[in-house]
């Protein structure tokens, strides 16, 4: 099977989606299978260090150089160019399926099945927590229509799956919950060093500067935990963000 993967998030800065996309690509390329992959990205600024080779025995990368605003507008208004068509013209191979690690501006042939990883639907549930720029980005991208087009959806939590069923009227059978993994760098070492590590465990909230992450409730919950349970002494709360 020839699988196209949208890796545009790796050219758009840091963040959870970029970390997820990089980890998924690395894991897929490490598998011993017969699948081939084309990684698709677009950036006017040019080449980036993606954290993995751009070419290999079973994969290649298609890097376009269109201005993103122009490319997004064309995808949104004209429905062109089709991503699968761009890939076929540059590689000579038509994708059998397209994988989107997140919701994005994307136009592709109706005959091509597509799979989406859905991280959350907070932008539909609490739009008041979005910045002005983020609010309009989500409005322009029409997430409900994007989700409706997907052949299959991977939800990162049971809550997100239920939100998708409720808000986007998706068939539950078309959604599989795939919990997020952890980077091997975060796995504790063996032996005595691991015992020492577990004497104090950090609870980490990433993106604490974003209102939708609800850092205030996290701090309140941790304070309540510390009052009610002596085991809380083994933990410390770390907030990460600007």
């Amino acid at each position: 099977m020839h699988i196209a993967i949208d890796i545009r998030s790796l050219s758009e800065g840091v963040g959870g989606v970029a970390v997820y996309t990089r980890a998924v690509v690395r894991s897929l390329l490490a598998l011993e299978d017969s699948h081939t992959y084309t990684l698709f990205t677009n950036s006017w600024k040019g080449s980036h260090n993606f954290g993995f080779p751009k070419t290999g025995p079973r994969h290649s990368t298609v890097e376009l150089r269109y201005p993103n605003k122009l490319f997004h507008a064309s995808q949104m208004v004209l429905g062109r160019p089709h991503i699968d068509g761009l890939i076929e013209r540059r590689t000579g191979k038509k994708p059998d399926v397209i994988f989107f690690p997140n919701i994005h501006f994307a136009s592709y042939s109706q005959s091509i099945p597509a799979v989406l990883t859905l991280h959350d639907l907070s932008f539909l549930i609490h739009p008041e927590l979005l910045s002005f720029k983020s609010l309009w980005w989500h409005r322009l991208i029409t997430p409900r229509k994007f989700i409706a087009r997907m052949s299959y959806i991977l939800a990162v939590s049971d809550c997100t799956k239920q939100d998708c069923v409720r808000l986007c009227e998706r068939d539950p059978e078309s959604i599989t919950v795939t919990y997020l993994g952890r980077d091997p760098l975060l796995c504790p070492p063996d032996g005595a060093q691991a015992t020492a590590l577990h004497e104090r465990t950090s609870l980490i909230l990433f993106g604490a500067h974003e209102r939708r992450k609800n850092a205030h409730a996290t701090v309140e919950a941790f304070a309540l935990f510390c009052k009610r349970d002596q085991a809380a002494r083994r933990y410390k709360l770390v907030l990460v963000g600007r």
Side-chain angles (χ1 to χ4, degrees), residues 43-57:
S43 175
W44 174 253
K45 295 181 181 179
S47 185
H48 294 263
N49 179 12
F50 299 127
F52 47 77
K54 294 182 180 181
T55 60

Side-chain angles (χ1 to χ4, degrees), residues 155-164 177 179:
V156 302
S157 69
D158 296 281
C159 181
T160 295
K161 176 178 179 177
Q162 296 308 316
D163 286 342
C164 188
V177 176
Y179 300 113

